[in-house]
Amino acid sequence: MRCLFAVATLSMLAASPVFASRVAIEVVDPAGKPIPDAVVTLAPNAGTPSRTTVPETRYVDQKDETFIPYVTALRVGDRVVFRNSDITRHHVYSFSALEKFEYMLAPGESSAPLEMKHAGNAAVGCNIHDYMLTYLYVTKDPEMAVTDAKGRATLDGLAAGQYTAHAWHPQLRPGITLPIQGVTLVEGTPGTLRFVLALLPNPRGPMDREHIGY
């Protein structure tokens, strides 16, 4: 029995995907300035194991008349909840092709969870405060990350193999083909991705104080 158990265990280990440590991501503009709030997603190529994901619920807050975060990345099947942490009423809405919705939220209230059924992106505003703006980006890719204030992000625990990476930002020119890169991950060796994006001016008004510059 012990021998049979050992053989079965070895077979299971051999069938399991080998995982690399991480992918380091950097997104900058043509002048080398870091770009925060860029979404980078990875899709495994044929022959590369894909990690199983479970639906998650993500939150977009409203505080100081600002949506936080500016960009929320979700997978198809994830849900999003809008919270009002202000002392004023907000009217959250979107007329996008991805999802049409509206929530009137009193101070302290949260919306019902909204399931993202399709891939795409949506601009979300406040019908009371026109300068408030946030974006939802929904992907079918199993791996995703959003860059921080330094234009950096990491993805951990990916299977070794070949991937196709896409980058997106709400200030990319409409209709542009998303930048694409290939990356090969080797067991135990960190990979790197660097995207250079040319962005349009920041569409948010002066009251949106979460970011300065972009």
Side-chain angles (χ1 to χ4, degrees), residues 20-25 40-42 51 75 142-146 153-158 185 193:
S21 57
R22 66 173 49 191
V23 176
I25 298 165
V40 176
T41 69
L42 268 68
R51 178 158 49 186
R75 301 181 186 91
E143 312 295 342
M144 63 183 186
V146 181
T154 57
L155 287 168
D156 292 300
L158 284 78
L185 303 182
L193 281 169

Side-chain angles (χ1 to χ4, degrees), residues 44 67 101 105 152 160 197:
F67 281 112
F101 59 87
L105 300 177
R152 297 173 182 172
L197 305 182

Side-chain angles (χ1 to χ4, degrees), residues 17-193:
V18 177
F19 288 94
S21 57
R22 66 173 49 191
V23 176
I25 298 165
E26 183 182 28
V27 182
V28 299
D29 70 6
K33 183 179 179 180
I35 295 179
D37 301 307
V39 181
V40 176
T41 69
L42 268 68
N45 294 356
T48 298
S50 179
R51 178 158 49 186
T52 300
T53 61
V54 296
E56 299 182 28
T57 299
R58 304 184 186 278
Y59 295 86
V60 178
D61 206 351
Q62 295 158 94
K63 190 172 183 180
D64 297 330
E65 297 182 7
T66 301
F67 281 112
I68 301 173
Y70 178 42
V71 173
T72 300
L74 307 103
R75 301 181 186 91
V76 173
D78 285 351
R79 302 188 299 176
V80 61
V81 172
F82 294 92
R83 295 190 292 213
N84 183 358
S85 295
D86 269 332
I87 59 174
T88 185
R89 184 181 298 270
H90 289 302
H91 183 183
V92 182
Y93 76 99
S94 178
F95 296 143
S96 70
L98 174 68
E99 197 72 48
K100 295 178 175 62
F101 59 87
E102 59 178 329
Y103 301 108
M104 185 68 76
L105 300 177
E109 286 188 340
S110 295
S111 71
L114 176 67
E115 182 179 354
M116 299 289 102
K117 300 178 180 178
H118 308 284
N121 63 82
V124 182
C126 175
N127 209 24
I128 299 174
H129 309 94
D130 291 339
Y131 45 81
M132 292 177 62
L133 186 62
T134 188
Y135 290 88
L136 308 178
Y137 183 81
V138 186
T139 180
K140 294 180 180 179
D141 294 347
E143 312 295 342
M144 63 183 186
V146 181
T147 57
D148 61 16
K150 296 181 179 180
R152 297 173 182 172
T154 57
L155 287 168
D156 292 300
L158 284 78
Q162 296 182 327
Y163 293 81
T164 300
H166 297 82
W168 178 87
H169 193 280
Q171 290 161 230
L172 284 171
R173 189 174 299 279
I176 192 174
T177 300
L178 291 186
I180 300 175
Q181 287 187 36
V183 59
T184 299
L185 303 182
V186 180
E187 178 187 0
T189 302
T192 59
L193 281 169

